[in-house]
């Protein structure tokens, strides 16, 4: 173990020495919650610390691991960058986020051989992993297409898990507003997994988003979500979220604020649901970013 640790630290220092840029990312969050019981709960989340080492023609990403030894890292991704003008070729493990819409979720995907081909109205990205064997492997075969027809429509699509799944996000901008669409489709089983429509508008310092998600299994039920965020200045934000589920007739209300102090984020919040009018809960979350 000592030899492995020494080798890893030596490799890390060697990378730092020749790097053009070093990127640190991670945070620790502490959340205090109080409900109407009253009951106090405390949760601590130690999100991974990431160290990225970037050179002119390479990138190496180190991911912190839980270990009896402090600061134990494994290599999360490492690839060479080759610029051919019409395309960028990446040789080695490369992982990135393919979130196609604000209505969708993060997708951390990649492959061992990747190519990015930009063109006038968008770009095409292909990632190949010859060792792909199952859907649990995060480094999967990916095909991503982004189209941006200015002042008309923006389409982001990604095929992943050996091209067995498809997610697409659509935006139609108009002035300070935009119409949103998102769907997730299981190609292998010809099954629609999720469908969401939305509308977003910005009025001065306020950002409002309304979304509608039907139950795609029978289209008998639906969920409506209304969220708003008001930015007072660079340090203060106030937000709210209202969620309604027609199947359970459940309404959830959540109000919160964000306060940034250097690298610390303070988030007090209060929540309520109509199933129990007295079920009011509050929380205070502190996040330390590094």
């Amino acid at each position: 173990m000592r030899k492995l640790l020494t080798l890893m630290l030596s490799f890390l220092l060697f990378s730092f020495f020749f790097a053009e840029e070093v990127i640190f990312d991670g945070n620790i969050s502490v959340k205090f919650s109080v409900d109407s019981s009253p009951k106090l709960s405390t949760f601590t989340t130690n999100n991974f610390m990431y160290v990225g080492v970037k050179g002119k023609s390479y990138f190496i990403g180190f991911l912190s691991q839980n270990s009896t030894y402090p600061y134990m890292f494994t290599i999360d991704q490492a690839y060479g960058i080759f610029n051919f003008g019409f395309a960028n070729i990446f040789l080695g493990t490369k992982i990135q986020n393919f979130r196609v819409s604000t209505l969708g979720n993060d997708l951390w995907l990649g492959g061992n051989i990747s190519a990015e081909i930009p063109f006038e109205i968008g770009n095409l990205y292909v990632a190949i992993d010859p060792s792909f064997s199952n859907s649990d492997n995060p480094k999967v075969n990916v095909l991503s297409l982004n189209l941006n027809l200015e002042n008309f429509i923006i389409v982001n699509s990604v095929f992943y898990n050996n091209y067995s799944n498809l997610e697409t996000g659509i935006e139609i901008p108009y002035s300070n507003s935009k119409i949103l669409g998102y769907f997730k489709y299981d190609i292998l089983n010809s099954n629609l997994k999720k469908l969401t429509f939305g509308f977003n508008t910005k009025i001065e310092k306020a950002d409002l988003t309304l979304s509608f998600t039907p139950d795609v299994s029978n289209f008998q039920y639906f969920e409506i979500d209304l969220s708003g965020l008001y930015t007072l200045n660079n340090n203060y934000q106030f937000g709210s979220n209202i969620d309604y589920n027609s199947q359970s007739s459940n309404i959830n209300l959540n109000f919160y604020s964000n306060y940034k102090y250097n690298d610390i984020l303070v988030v007090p919040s209060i929540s309520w649901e109509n199933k129990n009018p007295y079920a009011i809960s509050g929380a205070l979350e502190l996040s330390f970013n590094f």
Side-chain angles (χ1 to χ4, degrees), residues 30-36 38-43 267 269 271 280-285:
V30 182
K31 185 175 183 179
F32 303 91
S33 300
V34 181
D35 58 28
S36 55
K39 179 182 177 182
L40 175 65
S41 303
T42 304
F43 301 93
V267 184
S269 63
S271 301
I280 299 176
S281 61
L284 176 65
E285 184 171 2

Side-chain angles (χ1 to χ4, degrees), residues 81-90 114-118 124-126:
I81 306 170
F82 300 87
N83 187 346
F84 292 95
F86 70 95
N88 291 318
I89 307 298
F90 309 96
S114 309
E116 183 178 37
I117 306 171
L124 178 70
Y125 183 89
V126 181

Side-chain angles (χ1 to χ4, degrees), residues 164-176:
S164 64
N165 288 282
L166 166 66
E167 292 192 25
T168 294
I170 299 172
E171 293 185 8
I172 302 176
Y174 178 75
S175 186
N176 293 327

Side-chain angles (χ1 to χ4, degrees), residues 24-274:
F24 292 91
D25 189 20
N27 69 78
I28 297 175
S29 298
V30 182
K31 185 175 183 179
F32 303 91
S33 300
V34 181
D35 58 28
S36 55
S37 303
K39 179 182 177 182
L40 175 65
S41 303
T42 304
F43 301 93
T44 301
T45 304
N46 182 10
N47 294 326
F48 64 82
M49 186 174 76
Y50 199 88
V51 181
V53 182
K54 185 177 181 181
K56 289 182 178 179
S57 58
Y58 72 91
F59 181 88
I60 304 173
F62 298 90
L63 183 65
S64 177
Q65 298 290 308
N66 293 326
S67 172
T68 54
Y69 290 88
Y71 310 114
M72 188 66 180
F73 289 85
T74 59
I75 297 178
D76 175 59
Q77 55 183 319
Y79 55 87
I81 306 170
F82 300 87
N83 187 346
F84 292 95
F86 70 95
N88 291 318
I89 307 298
F90 309 96
L91 299 182
T93 303
K94 184 179 187 298
I95 303 171
Q96 66 185 70
N97 193 347
F98 288 88
R99 187 176 187 178
V100 297
S101 171
T102 56
L103 303 175
N105 297 318
D106 290 333
L107 283 172
W108 292 98
L109 307 170
N112 292 325
I113 304 172
S114 309
E116 183 178 37
I117 306 171
F119 49 91
E120 187 176 355
I121 59 173
N123 67 80
L124 178 70
Y125 183 89
V126 181
I128 301 172
D129 186 357
S131 63
F132 176 83
S133 59
N134 58 67
S135 60
D136 295 328
N137 190 338
K139 305 170 187 62
V140 299
N141 294 323
V142 176
L143 174 63
S144 173
L145 176 65
N146 301 316
L147 297 176
N148 189 340
L149 303 178
E150 191 174 356
N151 298 324
F152 176 61
I153 191 171
I154 299 171
V155 179
N156 298 313
S157 293
V158 58
F159 296 84
Y160 62 101
N161 275 9
N162 216 21
Y163 315 116
S164 64
N165 288 282
L166 166 66
E167 292 192 25
T168 294
I170 299 172
E171 293 185 8
I172 302 176
Y174 178 75
S175 186
N176 293 327
S177 304
K178 53 188 174 183
I179 299 172
L180 305 172
Y182 166 78
F183 72 87
K184 181 177 180 180
Y185 189 76
D186 184 345
I187 300 174
L188 198 61
N189 299 301
S190 301
N191 184 23
L192 181 63
K193 304 292 290 185
K194 187 175 182 180
L195 178 65
T196 301
F197 302 99
F199 177 78
N200 172 267
T201 185
K202 294 183 179 180
I203 305 172
E204 295 183 351
K205 295 184 178 181
D207 191 317
L208 302 173
T209 301
L210 174 66
S211 65
F212 174 82
T213 305
D215 181 0
V216 294
S217 60
N218 52 30
F219 290 92
Q220 292 183 356
Y221 305 104
F222 60 88
E223 184 174 343
I224 297 178
D225 183 87
L226 175 62
S227 61
L229 186 65
Y230 183 84
T231 302
L232 187 62
N233 53 43
N234 292 332
N235 296 323
Y236 291 97
Q237 287 181 319
F238 300 93
S240 64
N241 181 269
I242 304 173
D243 181 84
Y244 172 72
N245 189 304
S246 68
Q247 184 175 12
S248 61
S249 298
N250 198 35
I251 300 175
N252 288 303
L253 302 178
N254 182 49
F255 300 93
Y256 64 93
S257 66
N258 297 327
Y259 171 62
K260 294 180 181 179
Y261 177 77
N262 293 330
D263 294 329
I264 301 176
L265 179 64
V266 182
V267 184
S269 63
I270 186 170
S271 301
W272 172 86
E273 60 177 306
N274 68 321

